[in-house]
Amino acid sequence: MSEDDRRVVVDGVSKLYDRDDGGVQALEDVEFAVDDGEFVCVVGPSGCGKTTLFRIIGGLESATSGQVRLSGAPVTEPSPDLGIVFQEYHLFPWRTVRGNVAFGLEQQAIDAEAREERVDAMLDLVGLEAFDEAYPTELSGGMKQRVGIARALAVDPEILLMDEPFGSVDAQTRSMLHEELLSVWEETGKTVLFVTHDVDEAVTLADRIVVMGAGPGHVQEIVDVDLDRPRDRTDGAFAENVEYVRGLISE
């Protein structure tokens, strides 16, 4: 398989922020690729440039050098081929759950009947069909994030790009959201690129883990997680994977 046949290719991406004191190198020569339908997590210590990399992949920020390609095409701006889910929910408080999920479809000028059918399918997918007329203030944190996932998937993107989406919910809710996200991933076959600081979360979810190092941000190692799903956190093999990735991060 050639590099441009991969769903996502991060090719020698570097990022330098110019400052009066001489500038800060946030990323240096970051390279990895993600296959179609793969679930890949990116982990690393604070300050390793995970969020900067996320923004560059999402077309929200430009690289100083190098390139990101989606299905062979360079990323130069946000694209409907990328569904983005942030840690903060970014829901429109004046819109209902249905209205939030429909937002991207409205921007694409999809007719009302097709739009409603798509929204219904997404609400069913994330288990929120009974809350379609609720407003964000009436939802728990976990429910808000499920709305965010449904909204990102509604436009049928090739890739779901997620930046620490479960970082602001409690541990029990996070565990439930892991199960739901994996169910959505298996049902839709989407490619998922998931940024997290939580190594246990990465081992729970990922096919492969891109471990980043700091000073400046770079790829330390790419780890295959060869464990059957669903994964048991009390299993010895799970713990071995967690300890190995943590060891890489602490180097």
Side-chain angles (χ1 to χ4, degrees):
M1 180 184 294
S2 72
E3 282 292 281
D4 285 343
D5 290 330
R6 315 291 289 271
R7 183 61 79 186
V8 183
V9 175
V10 179
D11 185 7
V13 166
S14 296
K15 179 67 177 183
L16 176 66
Y17 289 105
D18 288 325
R19 294 184 180 176
D20 292 339
D21 60 2
V24 174
Q25 187 81 39
L27 298 170
E28 186 171 54
D29 198 26
V30 175
E31 290 199 6
F32 63 92
V34 182
D35 289 333
D36 189 33
E38 194 174 20
F39 199 127
V40 171
C41 285
V42 178
V43 302
S46 297
C48 73
K50 296 189 299 294
T51 295
T52 298
L53 179 62
F54 172 91
R55 292 181 59 81
I56 291 171
I57 294 171
L60 303 170
E61 194 168 322
S62 60
T64 305
S65 61
Q67 188 181 69
V68 175
R69 297 188 294 277
L70 303 183
S71 302
V75 175
T76 56
E77 60 185 358
S79 164
D81 290 334
L82 262 175
I84 300 179
V85 181
F86 298 94
Q87 179 174 349
E88 299 302 323
Y89 310 116
H90 293 298
L91 301 182
F92 300 117
W94 59 89
R95 282 182 172 243
T96 63
V97 167
R98 175 172 293 276
N100 270 282
V101 175
F103 178 76
L105 297 169
E106 293 168 3
Q107 306 310 301
Q108 295 181 348
I110 294 172
D111 71 79
E113 183 176 353
R115 187 168 65 237
E116 290 303 301
E117 288 179 0
R118 181 66 178 169
V119 171
D120 285 341
M122 292 301 97
L123 292 176
D124 180 65
L125 187 67
V126 299
L128 288 175
E129 58 271 31
F131 297 88
D132 63 332
E133 295 304 323
Y135 287 88
T137 54
E138 303 173 86
L139 304 177
S140 68
M143 293 169 75
K144 289 175 184 177
Q145 201 55 283
R146 284 152 66 191
V147 176
I149 293 169
R151 181 175 61 184
L153 288 171
V155 296
D156 198 25
E158 294 179 0
I159 301 127
L160 194 58
L161 182 59
M162 310 181 79
D163 185 19
E164 302 198 29
F166 308 144
S168 58
V169 298
D170 62 83
Q172 184 175 355
T173 301
R174 188 180 305 121
S175 179
M176 178 191 68
L177 288 169
H178 289 162
E179 293 178 11
E180 292 182 354
L181 176 59
L182 287 171
S183 177
V184 168
W185 170 66
E186 289 169 356
E187 187 168 336
T188 63
K190 296 296 181 189
T191 304
V192 179
L193 191 52
F194 188 107
V195 177
T196 179
H197 69 278
D198 186 333
V199 175
D200 289 75
E201 181 170 64
V203 175
T204 297
L205 296 173
D207 294 316
R208 291 187 299 141
I209 301 172
V210 177
V211 183
M212 293 186 65
H218 62 279
V219 174
Q220 187 99 325
E221 188 173 323
I222 299 176
V223 178
D224 291 314
V225 185
D226 189 18
L227 300 174
D228 293 335
R229 294 184 176 93
R231 293 171 180 166
D232 181 358
R233 293 193 178 203
T234 65
D235 181 67
F238 185 97
E240 287 174 9
N241 276 267
V242 169
E243 289 308 308
Y244 182 73
V245 173
R246 285 180 177 160
L248 291 173
I249 292 173
S250 65
E251 287 180 3

